Amino acid sequence: MKVACLGGGPAGLYFAISMKRRDPSHEIVVVERNRPYDTFGWGVVLSDETLGHLEKNDPRSAEMIREAFAYWDDIAVHYRGQVVRSGGHGFCGIGRKKLLNVLQDRCTELGVELRFETEINGAEDFAGYDLVVACDGINSKIRSQHADVFRPDIEQRANKYIWLGTHQKFDDAFSFIFEETEHGWVWVHAYQFDPETATFIVECSEATWRGLGFDRMDGPQTIAACEKLFAKYLGGHSLMSNARHLRGSAWLNFQRVLCEKWSHGNVVLMGDAAATAHFSIGSGSKLAVESAIALAEYLHSEPTLQAAFDRYEADRRVEVLKLQSAARNSTEWFEDVERYLHLDPVQFTYSLLTRSQRVSHENLRLRDAAWLDGAEKWFEQQATGTAPATARPPMFTPLTLRGVTLPNRIVVSPMAQYSATDGLPGDWHFVHYTSRALGGAGLVTTEMTCISADARITPGCTGLYTDAQEAGWKRIVDFIHAETPAKAAIQLGHAGPKGSTQLGWETMDAPLAEGNWGLIAPSAVAWSDGNQTPRAMTRADMDRVRDDFVAAARRAARAGFDVLELHYAHGYLMSAFITPLTNRRDDEYGGSLENRMRFPLEVFHAVRAVWPDDRPISVRISASDWVGDDGIQPEDAVAVAAMLKEAGVDIVDVSAGQTSIKARPVYGRMFQTPFADRVRNEAQVATMAVGNIFEPDHLNSILMAGRADLCCLARPHLADPYWGLHAAVKLGYEAMPWPRQYRAGRDQAYRLAARGPEQMTGKV
């Protein structure tokens, strides 16, 4: 096969090596516009996993690369005058120039032709070749020429960065350095890549960059300013730039690239031409060399060129999307880093280490158990005021809100049961809620309990507007308090425009076949074309709804609930006031966000006045309508939470969506946690995280990183009422309280867990 690799970076060179290793008869040329010893950047990072792939693919070049590596195990975080160090991370760095030279030499050994200082005009210059591999970088000419086919999606990220080098040693750790200036924070990613030189990437927000005058500086002035900013870390050494090789400014904004299609005819994209991953997760070279190996393999295993391209794209796209997801998380963490700069150095470091979600709580334990143990002790001391001899997992630490102390951070999320008759909680509700309290949750929250008959979502929804309903709830709460350490919360709400609908297992959100009741809402806006149009509320309607909330809160207090939650989310009445999608009023209750919050705040104040002062109130909000600029956005959620905090709300339950049939949610693991994170750390208010949280590791990571204060689990508790007890067994936390009646089962569970997972599942 006659092959042209357009671009002499790691992707093109390593692909040439991989092809020659599989069949020396291939005729391969690598074409590069720069000289052999030119390069962009300073050092690159490869993981142990990638090194393993290199070793298997070509032991000779892998050996040459290993000989040139600088290895480190620690990550050191310099922050607010402290250095927090965590080990076990297993990275290695190599100079980009050295890596290219190693690959160039190996190409020469294998008979690959290398053409330097040759401009690449287009794929048409290589019309006589069987295969053209376009690995000509992030500004790929080939991709641009055929943009209508490749359809690249290019997103420019917010932060400014500059890639520098220094002879100061950073050979004991990958170092993150954070420095505060009068114009904001500036930080460094620093790591050694040869015995004499380290990479020194300076990064900051554009506002800080402009405030410090970097937009008005030339290259030498920029370097001098950076040397001054980080003088105490440079030990008298200077910073160096190779920006003479760059076109335009030495400061850059990272561009995330992903192409819809990766091949066209006999042309295939590779490396940064096809997809990029942010430098903060150090995976650009990983993507390049692993894609090179995959394409070379498929070109020899598949029957046709197109079949090879199809398999290459299908397999590598999955890996690219995984890395880009992790890279997006990491990128956003740095773009929003000032959100976290109030955190203690221990928690700040934990947040940084877990920012991509590729490193979890238990993964950190495998890397550096001693450091994580110290971090867990710090977390528990913040929760209890006492330094523990042995730390417990964060999810099992208590949380005090006003006069109520939850025994742990596991919350049974509100889940509609649609099983009440005339709003009365019956035996089903008794079993449902008490079993989950017995199962180890720290807080058990009821389904949305309606404040009046016409406030119900469905005829099967529970209420709290009669004496019988109050007695039914009291029976449940009394059992929880008598038999478990759990606390009980009631969620009060009014369905508004989403009321008078069928049961959840019938047709969701559809009107009843018969017997519908009238609806009210802030404006006469129907939930959908199939739902009845509600009547726009008058001031008299507002007074009645407010008073119904107050009456229900009084009943909840008498029933013994420890926590009260007001449902201001998911398109129900209070949510319908907050979102502009359904609030079209032109009076003092519509228009601006402050006006739209006026009635929800009025209701809260009225409820707070009658709710016992030593018991907390939570409010659930939808942090995003998932409809873009037309609806509530995360920044609006921060403003809403700030108003609630000022009013006296103790904790905000941060959900999202369900406010419009036009919503387009983006699902995934812990997909709503970023909303709770942003609200907590920008509005400075305690939050609950919700949404696809299902593993103990999820809870511990969220809590330890300061992304939320409580974690709500819905579906996991439907599948397993004893989720909390089972999580304690899984983590080996033996101090978890079990019901006296179940202690024999507890002892066996821990014994089986100690023998291994096969014993727990019966696979022996």
Side-chain angles (χ1 to χ4, degrees), residues 420-421 423-430 462-463 468-473 475-476:
T421 301
L424 183 67
D427 289 346
W428 175 267
H429 301 89
F430 184 89
T462 56
Q469 293 163 358
E470 181 181 324
W473 284 120
R475 174 176 174 244
I476 293 170

Side-chain angles (χ1 to χ4, degrees), residues 197-214:
T197 322
T199 296
F200 199 88
I201 304 171
V202 182
E203 185 180 8
C204 61
S205 70
E206 182 162 351
T208 298
W209 179 75
R210 292 187 183 279
L212 291 171
F214 283 123

Side-chain angles (χ1 to χ4, degrees), residues 32-50:
E32 170 57 45
R33 69 188 301 272
N34 295 304
R35 296 171 296 179
Y37 291 92
D38 285 349
T39 185
F40 307 122
W42 292 89
V44 299
V45 177
L46 295 174
S47 67
D48 289 338
E49 178 188 31
T50 302

Side-chain angles (χ1 to χ4, degrees), residues 269-308:
L269 302 179
M270 185 180 291
D272 285 351
T276 60
H278 193 262
F279 61 83
S280 63
I281 65 166
S283 293
S285 297
K286 170 187 172 70
L287 280 179
V289 299
E290 291 182 0
S291 292
I293 293 170
L295 181 58
E297 182 63 29
Y298 298 145
L299 285 166
H300 290 84
S301 67
E302 301 306 303
T304 65
L305 194 66
Q306 189 58 54

Side-chain angles (χ1 to χ4, degrees), residues 141-159:
K141 283 186 178 180
I142 309 302
R143 188 188 66 220
S144 296
Q145 284 181 338
H146 301 285
D148 59 325
V149 176
F150 296 125
R151 293 187 288 277
D153 177 14
I154 302 175
E155 176 186 47
Q156 180 166 290
R157 301 303 308 194
N159 281 354

Side-chain angles (χ1 to χ4, degrees), residues 84-86 344-351 353-354 361 364-365 368-383 386-388 390-395 397 700-701 703-706:
V84 180
R85 187 179 295 267
S86 168
D344 178 274
V346 172
Q347 192 164 49
F348 180 82
T349 298
Y350 185 98
S351 179
L353 294 175
T354 58
H361 195 76
L364 272 180
R365 196 182 309 281
D368 192 340
W371 183 84
L372 186 61
D373 181 66
E376 288 180 334
K377 288 178 178 176
W378 170 87
F379 189 90
E380 184 166 344
Q381 185 170 9
Q382 304 309 301
T386 303
T390 302
R392 67 185 107 177
M395 63 188 287
T397 58
N700 288 326
S701 297
L703 296 166
M704 187 72 227

Side-chain angles (χ1 to χ4, degrees), residues 419-478:
S419 300
T421 301
D422 295 327
L424 183 67
D427 289 346
W428 175 267
H429 301 89
F430 184 89
V431 172
H432 174 70
Y433 293 113
T434 60
S435 62
R436 281 146 186 86
L438 290 167
L443 182 65
V444 177
T445 312
T446 72
E447 61 204 275
M448 188 176 95
T449 301
C450 304
I451 58 172
S452 62
D454 62 353
R456 291 176 296 165
I457 310 166
T458 77
C461 290
T462 56
L464 191 48
Y465 47 86
T466 71
D467 292 344
Q469 293 163 358
E470 181 181 324
W473 284 120
K474 187 175 189 305
R475 174 176 174 244
I476 293 170
V477 174
D478 286 349

Side-chain angles (χ1 to χ4, degrees), residues 476-709:
I476 293 170
V477 174
D478 286 349
F479 181 93
I480 291 173
H481 287 161
E483 300 293 344
T484 82
K487 302 301 181 184
I490 187 164
Q491 186 187 72
L492 297 179
H494 189 300
K498 294 177 75 174
S500 190
T501 59
Q502 299 177 34
L503 303 182
W505 46 78
E506 296 173 340
T507 303
M508 181 71 74
D509 292 332
L512 299 170
E514 57 183 18
N516 286 283
W517 56 86
L519 304 181
I520 57 172
S523 302
V525 178
W527 167 248
S528 75
D529 291 341
N531 293 77
Q532 63 174 294
T533 300
R535 175 172 56 80
M537 293 173 68
T538 65
R539 181 61 247 189
D541 292 322
M542 293 184 198
D543 291 343
R544 180 174 68 86
V545 167
R546 180 200 61 211
D547 293 347
D548 286 344
F549 267 103
V550 168
R554 291 183 188 276
R555 289 186 180 277
R558 291 197 298 265
F561 283 100
D562 305 286
V563 179
L564 174 66
E565 177 163 289
L566 298 178
H567 201 338
Y568 285 10
H570 299 171
Y572 299 122
L573 184 62
M574 293 296 124
S575 172
F577 269 93
I578 296 171
T579 174
L581 298 176
T582 47
N583 187 336
R584 312 282 177 79
R585 300 179 73 97
D586 58 7
D587 60 5
E588 65 268 35
Y589 300 102
S592 68
L593 180 60
E594 290 73 17
N595 279 0
R596 301 196 309 269
M597 282 294 294
R598 190 183 300 272
F599 183 59
L601 287 172
E602 178 184 331
V603 169
F604 168 76
H605 283 298
V607 168
R608 181 71 267 181
V610 302
W611 185 247
D613 190 60
D614 61 343
R615 300 187 213 177
I617 296 182
S618 166
V619 173
R620 171 168 278 203
I621 65 171
S622 284
S624 173
D625 288 332
W626 298 112
V627 296
D629 294 339
D630 291 337
I632 291 291
Q633 298 267 51
E635 57 268 26
D636 300 313
V638 173
V640 168
M643 291 184 232
L644 294 172
K645 176 189 175 185
E646 184 179 3
V649 170
D650 300 288
I651 188 166
V652 180
D653 185 352
V654 187
S655 186
Q658 302 181 53
T659 58
S660 170
I661 60 172
K662 297 179 181 178
R664 295 294 179 266
V666 180
Y667 295 111
R669 180 169 51 98
M670 300 182 285
F671 72 107
Q672 295 185 94
T673 298
F675 300 133
D677 180 353
R678 182 167 184 174
V679 166
R680 182 185 192 270
N681 290 297
E682 291 189 12
Q684 296 288 289
V685 63
T687 62
M688 302 188 205
V690 307
N692 210 19
I693 299 167
F694 54 87
E695 289 283 354
D697 223 33
H698 297 167
L699 281 78
N700 288 326
S701 297
I702 290 167
L703 296 166
M704 187 72 227
R707 304 179 79 191
D709 301 273

